Amino acid sequence: MTDASRGCDGLGRSRNPQEAAIVERFMKPLRAVVSCFLLLALAGVAGCQAGADQSNSVRVQDSYAKVMPKGTMSAIFGVITNDTDADVTFESASGDVAAAIELHEMVSDGGTMIMRKKEGGFVVRAGESLTLDPGGLHIMLIGLKQDLKAGDKITVTLNLAGGGTVDVEAVARDMANAQESYDPEAQSDDEGGGGSTGALAGSRPVR
Amino acid sequence: MSDRSPVSRRGLLVGGGLAAAAAGAGVGVAGVNVVGARGDASAPPPLVDFYGPTQAGIATGMQAHAVFNAYDLLPETDAEAARRLLTLITDDSARLTRAEPALNDQEPYLATVAARLTVTVGFGPPWFDKLGMSVKRPAGLTELPSYKIDRLQPAFSGGDLILQLCADDLLVLSHAARQLTKTVRGFARLRWSQHGFSRAAGGHVPHGKDRTSAPRNLMGQIDGTVNPVAGTPDFVAVVWSTEPGWFAGGTTMVLRRIRMELDRWDELDAIGKELAVGRRLETGAPLTGTLETDAADFGATDSSGIPVIPNFAHIARAAPREETDRFLRRPFNYDDSSSTVPTDAGLLFCTFQASIQKQFMPVQQRLAELDNLNDWTVPIGSAVCALPPGCAPGGFVGEGLFS
């Protein structure tokens, strides 16, 4: 499971040309503006797995994803709890539900909320929790490989800096919100022109 | 910590909780899902556990408010989708009833009070046919025949999926109903929604030391006196199905929207109203007794030899003829009046019984044939559904459909 060596863009290893095109379309602009540098986690948390023993663990609970059709984007939300005595950093995410999976944040850009890759990954302080929610931090799914229908369960893996992984099992929910749009500046580089803002908007959700 | 605390408050409040299933019926006498009690013994506990061998909202003491929502499945909703839908309804309901926001709750601060919220899930007859599950349709679930008194409107009748939500707080109830409708909307379209009310929490009138009076309806009558009492073997026998297979521990619901002609009811004086029903308005006692709980004596006559309780009185016609023609009544009032006259108000007459055909229909047939109260009441809506047994944490309501 551990795959911390994977590129920080979290790209899948075996993309077909169609998926590659989707990833390229969505990700090229982002790579231009986001550094790939990631903090390393402090020692002592390698091998954390969401498991039965939650007394000294890092786990993700109450995870859900937005219902969206195949080929579009979605996002996963939830609460990451760090019950260990050391801070942890998630530097990437991986999984086979989407062509690419990234750790994102929403920021204000001249009054408009845009999303972009979270520099430095997700840091969860010792003994604290970090909430991923619409309008904030989220795990971005780019190029869904299947329709994500309400009630579907999907799993992605969060990769800790320094090794170790935590699985996230999310249930797809019908959501009117989470209509994040991409960084418009980055989109101007997108030769696709019309450069839809619609990351999670724009397409009709499937149910 | 996040606002969405993963710590269940239930752990702090669990009192007696759910008893082990009784032998035979497979359903505990304590199919009462009320969890714990705190403070004043007369104050209802604020949390009602969603999980349990039977669904909550049936044996639960009546809350102040109710919403009944009926949905029609979308054509593309198949059995696989229905399974997903039920897992989502279960998850929303379990969280909301323990005063936690739903997973994707957009108004989480409306979900911080439980107010004895219950969510009860029912399947109308079309549910089974549309999903290719006709073999799973319980024997106890029967469509009602057309009664001559009926003036049914589609806007209050039928439905593939029916949710009963009850709570003591209307804000809590409204939020929960909307959350569930948003969860359902991708699978089914809202067909109708009916709102009902009873006494406010704590507004029930004491009746002796052990129980309170049944609630009053808008005709002023105490309604529900001869109900089976939750927690008794009698209740188990009347309400919970013992059908072999997946439906054991389930029940059926009949919801009749009965308009009251209150403006004409006003033309009667108290004595005329009491003769129509056969009970005293003040106490709910039968005309042959002094207490609400007194058994009616239908053979009693006055000095002229005329029955004290007329044979056309409501309770004379509704009284069981057989051991089996009894059911649990959980009626809520409605008042949708938007102008002075005519008053648009009445009763959401809600009953639970193991078998609609064996228990409900004989009584309804008698009342349709003759009941003095029919002069002031008109059924304008009717729906039936099967309420599956409850589920345990990790499971979902209706899981037996897929086994």
Side-chain angles (χ1 to χ4, degrees), chain A residues 59 61-64 78-79 81 128-129 131-133 149-153 171-177 207, chain B residues 1-6 80-81 84-85 87-88 91-92 95 102-106 179 182-183 185-187:
Chain A
R59 61 187 186 276
Q61 293 170 300
D62 290 342
S63 296
Y64 59 102
V79 181
T81 301
E128 296 186 5
S129 64
T131 299
L132 315 181
D133 58 7
K149 304 188 296 291
D152 279 344
K153 291 192 172 106
V171 61
R173 301 294 310 230
D174 179 358
M175 298 168 63
N177 58 336
R207 272 136 191 182
Chain B
M1 246 348 254
S2 114
D3 294 325
R4 190 176 289 118
S5 168
E80 184 273 331
R84 285 187 279 114
L85 170 61
T87 63
L88 296 173
D91 187 67
D92 278 358
R95 291 172 189 268
L103 197 52
N104 59 335
D105 206 318
Q106 291 187 261
Q179 170 65 35
K182 289 198 286 186
T183 292
R185 68 186 170 193
F187 302 88

Side-chain angles (χ1 to χ4, degrees), chain B residues 7-26:
Chain B
V7 178
S8 167
R9 295 188 203 183
R10 189 162 41 120
L12 306 176
L13 293 166
V14 169
L18 299 159

